[in-house]
């Protein structure tokens, strides 16, 4: 058996990006499994959703958006603290950077370690890493819900916390009028889940129930294509839940039986690979996912901090 390259370090092929207008002034840029971004037009301003890994990568997205609108970015919303979603923030020159209050806490607590970890795991996403001016600090935070009046007849954009999930501070952006949902990494569409900082039980139950209860007609997940229509939206939510429940079942069974972390990884890999193995970042994510779920089952409430060193220890023990 050949050794697998670490995480996504060998994934160097650029992806094709697709910009779609999902409703009047509601934009989504998807990229074949790379992190998605979006933007919503107000009457005379923009709300951007997610910031990409570097300012240079963010400016490449803004250049595409600027072919359609020149409104200034008043708000940049970041769905959670992960580096590939936040470190490009300076490119937007937004008046305010909005996040959940737990996201701000996580950036203070582990933002630098996460930056180092994600850069080593997914170097291709860090387009000109020297363009990053430092950690991204949210300037406006909330705990449950906040609404942005888009002006005119555009209605409101609702930012909502749905419970612990992919991290302890994920928020979604919801447009009740056109029923479009930007779900961040709480939902993936035919891309593997990263659960290395997750709360598997909460995410698979109440959090996804809340996401589904919005009854979106279009859903932009963290990665993968836009889900269009209720059946595709529900399928994306349930496929996310299915991945989580598959991990809970198989890691849980080995833990319950007194087995080892490596046995849990091997069993879970064998069980999930037929359905999910060909999806983006499956091999990358599964060791970190298994380690976090194992920790949860051992009673470690909050995710341990991933560092570049710990990443390699876990990788070598499980995928090496
Ligand atoms: Zn994430």
């Amino acid at each position: 058996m050949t050794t697998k390259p670490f995480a996504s370090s060998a994934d160097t092929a650029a992806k094709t990006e697709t910009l779609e207008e999902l409703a009047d002034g509601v934009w989504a840029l998807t990229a074949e499994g790379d992190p998605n971004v979006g933007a919503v037009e107000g009457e005379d301003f923009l709300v951007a959703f997610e910031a990409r890994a570097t300012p240079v990568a963010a400016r490449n997205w803004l250049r595409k958006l600027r072919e359609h609108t020149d409104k200034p970015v008043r708000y940049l919303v970041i769905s959670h603290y992960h580096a590939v979603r936040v470190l490009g923030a300076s490119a937007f020159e937004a008046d305010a950077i909005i996040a959940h209050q737990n996201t701000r806490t996580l950036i203070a607590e582990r933002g630098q370690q996460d930056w180092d970890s994600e850069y080593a795991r997914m170097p291709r996403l860090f387009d000109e890493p020297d363009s990053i001016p430092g950690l991204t600090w949210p300037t406006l935070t909330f705990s449950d819900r906040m609404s942005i009046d888009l002006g005119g007849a555009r209605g409101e954009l609702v930012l909502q916390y749905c419970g612990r999930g992919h991290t302890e501070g994920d928020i979604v952006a919801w447009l009740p009028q056109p029923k479009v949902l930007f779900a961040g990494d709480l939902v993936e569409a035919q891309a593997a889940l990263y659960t290395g900082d997750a709360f598997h039980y909460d995410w698979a139950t109440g959090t996804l129930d809340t996401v589904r209860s919005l009854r979106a007609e279009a859903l932009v997940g963290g990665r993968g294509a836009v889900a269009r229509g209720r059946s595709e939206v529900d399928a994306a939510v349930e496929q996310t839940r299915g991945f989580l429940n598959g991990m809970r079942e198989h890691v849980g069974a080995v833990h319950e039986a007194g087995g080892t972390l490596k046995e849990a990884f091997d069993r879970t890999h064998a069980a999930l690979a037929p359905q999910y193995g060909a999806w983006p970042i499956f091999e990358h994510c599964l060791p970190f996912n298994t380690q976090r779920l194992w920790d949860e089952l051992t009673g470690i409430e909050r995710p341990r901090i991933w560092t570049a060193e710990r990443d390699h220890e876990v990788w070598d023990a499980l995928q090496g």
Side-chain angles (χ1 to χ4, degrees), residues 21 89 311:
E21 189 174 25
D311 283 3

Side-chain angles (χ1 to χ4, degrees), residues 164-166 185-186 193 195 198-205 208 244:
R164 301 190 301 186
H166 173 73
D185 273 334
L186 285 178
L193 270 58
T195 70
F199 297 78
H200 288 74
Y201 174 78
D202 290 13
W203 189 358
T205 55
L208 281 180
L244 290 167

Side-chain angles (χ1 to χ4, degrees), residues 80 82 84-85 118 166-167 170 185 194:
H80 63 289
H82 282 149
V84 298
R85 307 275 170 185
E118 293 200 49
H166 173 73
T167 69
D170 302 86
D185 273 334
Y194 176 65

